[in-house]
Amino acid sequence: MGEPPNQPAAVPGASIRIDDPEEFAARYRQVYPQMTVIAAAIVGDRSVADDIVQEAALIAVEKRNQFTPGASFAGWLAAIVRNCALNYRRKCRRRRTFPADPAHLRDLHGGDAALPEAPLDATAVAAGAVPHEAFDDQVHAALAELSDEARCCLLLRTVQDLTYAEISQLLDIPAGTAMSHVHRARSTMRRRLADRETKSV
């Protein structure tokens, strides 16, 4: 499956006919952006994330009889994506989730804009105003210090602009936990970026 066209950030939770190829393809296209964010948050490479999501889609097709009617398709597929991403990372034996090259995650939001030379303002991170084009080396280094789940929550909130309820559904965690992850992740990144800005003065 090739990369589908950009779709609105939505996390459908209604029942679907998983055995209907057209319905499956439509739902897959709809949640594709969120799936790539989840995969990239774990492996740290957008191009690899695309491959992982496609691999997960094939697995989902093979295991479609395991889908529970009435369950969230996005949440079900997200679990498969996370497993594929974790398997890939274990296979590669990576020590860090995010590579030093910021180009790997520059287009998480589908854009090709060049990254700015100046570091991202730590205040913007803390406030949640984190445009994807503002991700630079310092931001990626700070992101690498977060746990996989916290990083997924933060990126889904700031890059995909999902609500905590939608993040909860995708990652199968309580909405309060998603909110806590985002709050702590922002605080951690603000502290890390502030420390680096101070050292660079």
Side-chain angles (χ1 to χ4, degrees):
M1 296 182 184
E3 180 173 349
N6 292 334
Q7 297 290 329
V11 183
S15 174
I16 69 167
R17 290 182 55 194
I18 198 71
D19 58 338
D20 183 340
E22 292 186 1
E23 181 70 10
F24 181 95
R27 295 289 182 172
Y28 170 73
R29 285 193 296 270
Q30 190 175 23
V31 302
Y32 186 90
Q34 293 91 52
M35 298 302 114
T36 56
V37 166
I38 291 171
I42 295 174
V43 303
D45 188 324
R46 171 57 192 269
S47 61
V48 172
D50 289 336
D51 292 338
I52 287 173
V53 173
Q54 292 172 29
E55 176 188 355
L58 293 176
I59 293 174
V61 170
E62 294 175 355
K63 296 185 176 181
R64 58 187 179 277
N65 62 322
Q66 297 180 17
F67 178 76
T68 302
S72 165
F73 174 76
W76 180 67
L77 183 58
I80 299 175
V81 169
R82 290 199 303 274
N83 286 336
C84 289
L86 289 171
N87 287 338
Y88 174 87
R89 193 174 65 179
R90 281 193 290 266
K91 181 179 179 181
C92 293
R93 297 179 180 179
R94 290 187 175 183
R95 292 185 177 181
R96 296 181 68 85
T97 301
F98 282 87
D101 184 0
H104 286 305
L105 289 174
R106 72 194 311 165
D107 58 347
L108 271 178
H109 202 261
D112 296 319
L115 295 173
E117 295 297 330
L120 179 66
D121 184 354
T123 303
V125 177
V130 188
H132 70 284
E133 64 270 14
F135 284 10
D136 65 1
D137 288 348
Q138 290 186 333
V139 174
H140 288 295
L143 283 170
E145 298 180 19
L146 303 176
S147 68
D148 290 342
E149 191 168 277
R151 189 164 46 250
C152 283
C153 288
L154 181 63
L155 291 177
L156 288 170
R157 181 78 180 113
T158 59
V159 176
Q160 285 294 310
D161 197 28
L162 297 188
T163 66
Y164 293 116
E166 290 170 333
I167 295 172
S168 168
Q169 187 179 64
L170 269 179
L171 303 182
D172 192 26
I173 59 176
T177 299
M179 184 182 299
S180 178
H181 275 315
V182 172
H183 175 73
R184 292 177 182 175
R186 285 173 176 166
S187 296
T188 297
M189 291 194 65
R190 178 175 56 187
R191 185 171 59 255
R192 295 288 187 270
L193 292 172
D195 289 344
R196 285 170 181 152
E197 288 176 358
T198 300
K199 292 178 181 179
S200 65
V201 174

